[in-house]
């Protein structure tokens, strides 16, 4: 019996994608949903039962089974989940919605392409990457491993993304721009120049507001003494109010959660109104997780970023002054 295992019960869009791909021709005899949250076991999502934890893959036959990683909230989590799943030896399936034309493009193992996405000719979508609904990948563009291109984002011709890049909803990247590994492009941003690895870009035109190390590493480096649970709780509550969803992981990037520049301003206004906390918007985007932002509020003179404000400003000016935009 041919079996498709879906890892991650929180992504109903991914489950529906698997069902759409499996309609005609039928590739798998059954679809099994796995999740490590024991409280979810036995429940159904879109008529697919959550059968058990990821560890059930240990009993799967690699010759007749395939697996899909539906974890997609952040590129870091997606990469970590891919590594765990790969350890069981079950091959990854690539799922592209049947109505999406992928002719003359290359989709590597474990890629997900959702309905209404546009995959132009001569593109390469790297292993484990995700292209969400109505996203556009321009011709001759190249996506590295584990990238996430959120709904409505546009990568114009010959854009190159390094591994682990996150492109937020409705963001746009101009032709031939290169984005370094682990960079984050904020929702609704316009990227007009190359982006260094690990940077965060927001705004129109895009401004590099953080050229430091990747967010996960920075959060991990925050000394325990700096942590303030009460302050983190207050910040998380305002985030949840603005985003309309719970914030359970204090290391989640605001942009990865779908946050826009306008919502960032609403967060800052909420912090001012409710708690008397007043910081510039640039600080918010330099510390775009609850944990790093709260640590910055406790000790604003130690921002954990190696580059000075003057160096960041010079970098922005040099990249924005490269001459006429390329078409």
């Amino acid at each position: 019996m041919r079996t498709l295992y879906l890892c991650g019960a929180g992504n109903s869009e991914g489950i529906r994608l698997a069902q759409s791909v499996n309609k005609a021709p039928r590739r798998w005899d059954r679809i099994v949903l796995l999740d490590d949250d024991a409280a979810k076991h036995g429940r159904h999502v879109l008529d697919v039962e959550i059968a058990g934890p990821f560890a059930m893959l240990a009993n799967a036959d690699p010759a007749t089974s395939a697996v899909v990683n539906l974890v997609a909230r952040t590129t870091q989590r997606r990469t970590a989940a891919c590594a765990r799943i790969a350890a069981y030896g079950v091959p990854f399936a690539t799922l592209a919605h049947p109505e999406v034309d992928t002719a003359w493009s290359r989709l590597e193992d474990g890629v997900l392409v959702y309905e209404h996405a546009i995959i132009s000719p001569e593109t390469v979508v790297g292993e484990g990457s995700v292209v969400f609904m109505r996203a556009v990948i321009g011709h001759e563009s190249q996506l590295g491993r584990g990238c996430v291109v959120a709904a409505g984002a546009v990568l114009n011709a010959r854009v190159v993304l390094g591994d682990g890049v996150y492109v937020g909803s409705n963001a746009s990247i101009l032709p031939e721009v290169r984005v370094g590994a682990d960079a984050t492009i904020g929702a609704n941003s316009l990227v007009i120049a190359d982006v260094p690895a690990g940077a965060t870009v927001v705004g129109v035109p895009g401004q590099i507001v953080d050229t430091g190390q990747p967010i996960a590493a920075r959060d991990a480096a925050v000394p325990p003494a700096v942590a303030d649970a009460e302050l983190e709780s207050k910040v998380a509550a305002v985030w949840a109010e603005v985003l309309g969803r719970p914030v359970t992981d204090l290391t989640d990037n605001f942009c990865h959660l779908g946050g826009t520049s306008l919502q960032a301003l609403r967060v800052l206004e909420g912090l001012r109104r409710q708690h008397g906390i007043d910081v510039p918007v640039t600080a918010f985007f330099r510390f775009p997780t609850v944990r790093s932002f709260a640590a910055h509020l406790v000790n604003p003179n130690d921002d954990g970023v190696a580059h000075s404000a003057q160096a960041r400003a010079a970098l922005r000016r040099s990249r924005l002054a490269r001459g006429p935009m390329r078409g």
Side-chain angles (χ1 to χ4, degrees):
M1 177 177 289
R2 298 167 302 173
T3 304
L4 177 66
Y5 292 94
L6 306 179
C7 292
N11 185 354
S12 58
E13 286 287 355
I15 298 168
R16 184 168 67 177
L17 173 63
Q19 292 172 329
S20 298
V21 170
N22 202 39
K23 280 183 179 178
R26 192 173 179 84
R27 294 169 58 182
W28 299 283
D29 300 304
R30 63 173 184 156
I31 296 177
V32 177
L33 186 56
L34 304 178
D35 197 283
D36 282 340
D37 185 351
K40 297 179 180 179
H41 297 168
R43 299 181 185 176
H44 289 74
V45 181
L46 306 187
D47 291 331
V48 181
E49 182 181 6
I50 305 173
F54 288 10
M56 287 185 63
L57 291 171
N59 299 319
D61 181 357
T64 59
S65 303
V67 66
V68 172
N69 176 20
L70 294 185
V71 177
R73 180 176 294 179
T74 69
T75 54
Q76 293 87 358
R77 283 187 174 186
R78 182 164 179 78
T79 298
C82 276
R84 288 178 53 211
I85 294 167
Y88 292 105
V90 180
F92 284 93
T94 292
L95 301 182
H97 193 278
E99 294 182 5
V100 175
D101 185 357
T102 60
W104 301 103
S105 63
R106 188 172 88 232
L107 308 182
E108 297 186 348
D109 292 343
V111 166
L112 304 180
V113 180
Y114 286 79
E115 187 176 13
H116 302 307
I118 296 176
I119 306 294
S120 301
E122 299 186 272
T123 61
V124 177
V125 182
E127 180 180 335
S129 291
V130 184
V131 181
F132 276 100
M133 296 73 71
R134 302 188 185 281
V136 177
I137 310 299
H139 64 85
E140 300 176 60
S141 291
Q142 298 180 39
L143 280 65
R145 294 182 177 183
C147 294
V148 174
V149 182
V154 177
L155 277 57
N156 285 279
R158 297 176 294 281
V159 167
V160 177
L161 303 185
D163 294 345
V165 172
Y166 185 95
V167 182
S169 299
N170 300 314
S172 183
I173 304 179
L174 292 192
E176 301 181 10
V177 166
R178 303 178 71 90
V179 181
D182 298 315
T184 296
I185 309 302
N188 300 308
S189 296
L190 173 63
V191 181
I192 66 174
D194 291 354
V195 178
T200 298
V201 175
V202 297
V204 179
Q207 300 282 320
I208 299 173
V209 296
D210 176 19
T211 59
Q213 59 186 319
I215 296 302
R218 185 190 316 150
D219 280 350
V222 174
V226 173
D228 186 321
E230 182 180 358
L231 186 55
E232 289 179 345
S233 179
K234 290 177 178 178
V235 174
V238 176
W239 275 36
E241 179 183 334
V242 172
L243 293 171
R245 58 185 294 182
V247 178
T248 56
D249 189 332
L250 302 186
T251 64
D252 273 346
N253 188 301
F254 186 76
C255 295
H256 290 186
L257 295 175
T260 66
S261 299
L262 179 59
Q263 287 176 315
L265 294 175
R266 290 173 179 166
V267 167
L268 294 177
E269 174 57 29
L271 290 170
R272 278 192 293 269
R273 186 180 64 256
Q274 298 178 32
H275 306 295
I277 297 171
D278 192 1
V279 294
V281 68
T282 52
F284 183 87
F285 284 113
R286 286 172 60 204
F287 305 97
T289 74
V290 169
R291 177 143 297 155
S292 61
F293 185 74
H296 173 67
L297 294 177
V298 171
N299 189 359
N301 294 321
D302 181 13
D303 61 14
V305 179
H307 301 275
S308 68
Q310 184 178 3
R312 286 193 299 272
L315 179 59
R316 288 199 298 272
R317 287 195 298 271
S318 67
R319 294 196 181 278
L320 293 174
R322 281 189 172 182
M325 292 185 290
R326 291 162 286 182

